[in-house]
Amino acid sequence: MLIRQFQALRMHAPRQFKPVSSDSICVEIGAGKGKHALLFSSINPEKKLFAIERTREKFDAMSKQHLLEGQKNLETIHADAIPWIVHALYPKQVQQFFILYPNPEPHNPAQRWLNMPFFEFLLSRLAVHGTVTLASNIPEYIEEAEQQLKNVWKLPFEKQKIQSDSARTHFEIKYLERGELCQQLVIRKPEDYQTRFDDFMPLQGKTADLDGTLEHQHEQ
């Protein structure tokens, strides 16, 4: 499967976008109500986690719980993950990406994470020896992702069965209680791995106009 190049310069900045520093971080995409984000940041106080959620209701629930628990190393972001990553993140900045139980897009396979041109950009933001953890309760989703890793992205990975007492997300708890098989791929970036975006710096609130020059993106 041939994947076209991602058009990073066409990404508009999310509303109320704020740039981040170039320090080493972890990122959770589609954090939902924040169960994993809150747990991860609690047991890894030395790691800074940015938890991104697009849905307002889920983001508000995560923010409310974060306010109660008060983890200093957790930053909650209400945005679509793709433009936020393009505008915010630096090359080789992220030690760990978490994509836990994403929408399987049954009617639009091209929108699955490892089928999208954007995945190349995401890999450019991943540090050497950094990992992407992709979890799903759908065996076909995991199998397709394995094939993409072997044939398209050519990345090493470990396939793991998630233990029945795991409780990282509300979805994970529900699926395991039903007795469903939950699996994850832990994808690792080798030292010599290259992408076409390795020198691409964050846009930080800028976008390209139609002739390709950069313009500041103003709030509408």
Side-chain angles (χ1 to χ4, degrees), residues 36-46 69 71 73-74:
H36 173 264
L38 292 158
L39 177 63
F40 179 88
S41 54
S42 293
I43 63 179
N44 297 283
E46 78 287 359
E69 296 188 23
Q71 291 91 330
N73 59 327
L74 174 61

Side-chain angles (χ1 to χ4, degrees), residues 78-115:
H78 181 223
D80 186 295
I82 293 177
W84 186 85
I85 287 170
V86 169
H87 281 265
L89 299 186
Y90 290 78
K92 299 180 181 179
Q93 181 181 13
V94 179
Q95 291 294 329
Q96 294 174 277
F97 277 109
F98 297 97
I99 309 175
L100 306 180
Y101 304 95
N103 184 337
E105 303 286 356
H107 305 299
N108 193 4
Q111 289 300 307
R112 296 172 190 159
W113 287 100
L114 273 71
N115 295 349

Side-chain angles (χ1 to χ4, degrees), residues 4 8 40 42 48 59 81 93-95 104 119 127 129 153 188 210:
R4 60 184 173 80
F40 179 88
S42 293
K48 175 79 172 181
F59 172 79
Q93 181 181 13
V94 179
Q95 291 294 329
F119 195 69
H129 306 306
W153 305 114
R188 192 169 298 277
L210 291 177

Side-chain angles (χ1 to χ4, degrees), residues 5 38 55 83 101 106 129 133 136 146 170 183 185 198 220:
Q5 185 168 345
L38 292 158
T55 307
Y101 304 95
H129 306 306
T133 300
S136 178
E146 284 185 86
H170 293 93
Q183 301 174 95
L185 302 177
D198 290 347
Q220 297 298 321

Side-chain angles (χ1 to χ4, degrees), residues 23-42:
D23 296 339
S24 177
I25 60 171
C26 300
V27 175
E28 181 172 0
I29 296 173
K33 295 180 180 179
K35 187 172 181 61
H36 173 264
L38 292 158
L39 177 63
F40 179 88
S41 54
S42 293

